[in-house]
Amino acid sequence: MTTLVLGAGVIGVTTAYYLARAGHKVVVLERQPGAALETSFANGGQISPCHSNPWATPATLPKIIKWLGRDDAPLKFRLKADPALWSWSLRFLVNCTKGRADINTERMLRLALYSRDTLAALRRDTAIQYDQLSKGILHIYQDARELAAAAKRVQAMIDLGLERLPLDVAACLALEPALQTAADNGLISGGIFTPGDESGDAHTFTTALAQLAAEIGVEFRYDCRIDRLLAKDAQITGVETSQGVIQAKACVIALGSYSPLLLKPIGLDLPVYPAKGYSVTLEVGDSQKAPFVSLIQDELKLVYSRLGGRLRIAGTAEIAGYNTEIDDRRVRRILQAAQALFPDCGYTGEPEFWAGLRPKTPDSVPVIGPTKIAGLYLNTGHGTLGWTMACGSGKALADLMCGNEPEISLDGLAINRFH
């Protein structure tokens, strides 16, 4: 019998690859004409365990209140009469305590560090190429108070196994000389460097890995709309699709923000809600005035990644349901922020604007593992860290489905934490 993987984004493709390597006969179903054409298409490009900070913290609520009604807010809520949103929001509020934030940070970082190592092993094994750079990630700050507050949190992540180094302005410039103009203009007061983190193009990676997966027997069915899950006696039996009914002994849901819509009719409540994020991609060629070290501009919630001859700037979040339209004002503000930070980067041509839905759980921790329906597994809810956590999530779930002990603990990652 077949194991189905629903979704050919970076999470679905990595899952399919590791399942096939473990001996499963795998079929991937995807409504788009190819792999990685939705949320994995133009994300921030970072492999960033350093970003394993849950949205729900005691410090978040005052910021959200301050941002209400602001079109330029890093996190914008478009409130509406959506029961799923209000249910998600209540669960979010429950997680806005220091105790819950500490637990959620550990869970996120545990998976992110494992995934970073798993990606490195995959790269060694396959020589896969995806405009990767292993130059670390530098958080930069303009406000000295924000930097001081962030520096206080550094030790907690160091204690959890992540190497992080506070840097003054001179050290930031030594690491990334392209920041010189920004420093001269008073836009940098210092930074925090994570040398083990990386960057790379998630779309290029996913399409390349899909090809490798096909070579070891994975079947990809594109332009295949998934209509509903089929189960009998609390056991998954298959999926009804636009290409007919496909029977299966096991099924992995890796549909990102759309996962809850498929699960609800069979009685599974998955608290995942879409958070629309934006990116801008600029052609910079071989410019030395554009950064090579991947950056996070913390106060603006923006990330910068050099992807070959392109500079990708991504960030902000908008809680607006399943709306994927690009808000021109928000992408223009991202472009303006990039131009202020790197006014001499020498980009050519027209900027490419993009928006995608990032699947957020109330605690920012993904949902990985079995459900109460036998044979039905989840690998979704990774939020802004899908690219960061993809390889580790896929490998750990494949181990679990094969009856093997995963190389990391999956404690606290299953859906039962919400019930």
Side-chain angles (χ1 to χ4, degrees):
M1 290 286 285
T2 299
T3 296
L4 296 178
V5 175
L6 309 189
V10 68
I11 300 295
V13 171
T14 50
T15 303
Y17 174 80
Y18 285 110
L19 282 169
R21 271 194 15 182
H24 282 240
K25 179 185 176 182
V26 182
V27 176
V28 178
L29 307 182
E30 169 59 53
R31 67 180 180 180
Q32 296 290 348
L37 292 178
E38 294 197 25
T39 303
S40 302
F41 183 70
N43 67 10
Q46 294 187 333
I47 305 298
S48 53
C50 66
H51 228 168
S52 297
N53 302 114
W55 282 13
T57 70
T60 301
L61 289 179
K63 291 181 179 179
I64 290 177
I65 293 170
K66 182 177 69 174
W67 292 334
L68 284 176
R70 279 179 47 186
D71 284 335
D72 62 344
L75 175 58
K76 182 176 181 178
F77 275 86
R78 294 187 184 273
L79 299 177
K80 58 180 183 175
D82 182 351
L85 172 59
W86 289 105
S87 174
W88 185 94
S89 299
L90 288 174
R91 283 171 159 151
F92 178 87
L93 291 174
V94 168
N95 281 280
C96 286
T97 66
K98 183 181 184 305
R100 294 303 309 171
D102 290 345
I103 290 170
N104 296 331
T105 298
E106 185 281 326
R107 290 172 176 173
M108 296 172 71
L109 190 55
R110 183 203 320 156
L111 180 59
L113 287 171
Y114 172 65
S115 192
R116 191 179 70 183
D117 291 343
T118 306
L119 171 60
L122 176 66
R123 197 164 56 234
R124 291 192 299 269
D125 291 345
T126 65
I128 191 169
Q129 297 295 308
Y130 49 94
D131 284 327
Q132 66 269 24
L133 289 174
S134 299
K135 292 180 175 290
I137 291 178
L138 175 64
H139 282 70
I140 55 174
Y141 299 84
Q142 179 177 3
D143 189 325
R145 293 170 298 180
E146 291 282 348
L147 174 60
K152 291 179 181 178
R153 299 190 293 268
V154 164
Q155 190 59 48
M157 282 198 163
I158 293 174
D159 292 342
L160 292 171
L162 183 67
E163 183 181 6
R164 305 203 72 192
L165 307 171
L167 303 181
D168 60 16
V169 175
C172 290
L173 296 180
L175 188 67
E176 180 45 80
L179 288 168
Q180 182 66 61
T181 301
D184 292 343
N185 292 336
L187 297 180
I188 302 174
S189 62
I192 299 172
F193 182 51
T194 311
D197 285 356
E198 305 178 358
S199 60
D201 190 321
H203 175 259
T204 302
F205 170 87
T206 306
T207 54
L209 190 64
Q211 179 60 45
L212 293 174
E215 291 171 5
I216 60 173
V218 176
E219 178 185 353
F220 287 85
R221 296 191 186 182
Y222 296 117
D223 295 307
C224 182
R225 188 186 69 248
I226 300 161
D227 293 328
R228 66 186 183 104
L229 298 172
L230 303 176
K232 182 178 180 181
D233 299 327
Q235 165 72 51
I236 197 74
T237 60
V239 178
E240 187 177 292
T241 78
S242 58
Q243 298 180 9
V245 171
I246 303 172
Q247 295 182 330
K249 67 174 182 179
C251 180
V252 178
I253 308 298
L255 293 169
S257 297
Y258 296 91
S259 301
L261 306 184
L262 196 65
L263 294 168
K264 188 174 182 180
I266 62 168
L268 288 176
D269 173 28
L270 176 67
V272 165
Y273 202 81
K276 181 163 60 174
Y278 294 91
S279 75
V280 177
T281 304
L282 306 174
E283 291 289 340
V284 295
D286 60 358
S287 171
Q288 300 301 302
K289 297 293 186 178
F292 287 90
V293 174
S294 197
L295 306 169
I296 297 177
Q297 197 173 12
D298 245 12
E299 287 120 321
L300 299 181
K301 307 302 181 190
L302 296 179
V303 305
Y304 298 73
S305 293
R306 185 68 172 265
L307 305 173
R310 299 165 294 150
L311 179 63
R312 170 77 47 75
I313 312 101
T316 77
E318 188 175 328
I319 307 298
Y322 289 87
N323 180 333
T324 59
E325 294 179 1
I326 294 175
D327 184 329
D328 189 68
R329 294 169 299 179
R330 290 180 76 78
V331 290
R332 292 290 173 186
R333 288 191 181 98
I334 292 174
L335 179 59
Q336 290 166 7
Q339 291 170 329
L341 201 62
F342 300 106
D344 307 314
C345 72
Y347 72 87
T348 59
E350 290 296 315
E352 296 179 12
F353 298 146
W354 174 86
L357 301 180
R358 299 172 294 192
K360 289 294 293 185
T361 58
D363 55 11
S364 296
V365 179
V367 183
I368 303 170
T371 68
K372 65 182 181 181
I373 307 294
L376 183 62
Y377 297 83
L378 304 180
N379 196 358
T380 187
H382 296 75
T384 58
L385 295 180
W387 179 205
T388 295
M389 295 176 170
C391 286
S393 298
K395 177 68 165 59
L397 184 59
D399 285 339
L400 186 71
M401 292 175 65
C402 291
N404 301 322
E405 187 73 23
E407 294 169 336
I408 60 163
S409 169
L410 296 181
D411 179 56
L413 302 187
I415 191 173
N416 60 12
R417 73 180 187 269
F418 294 115
H419 302 132

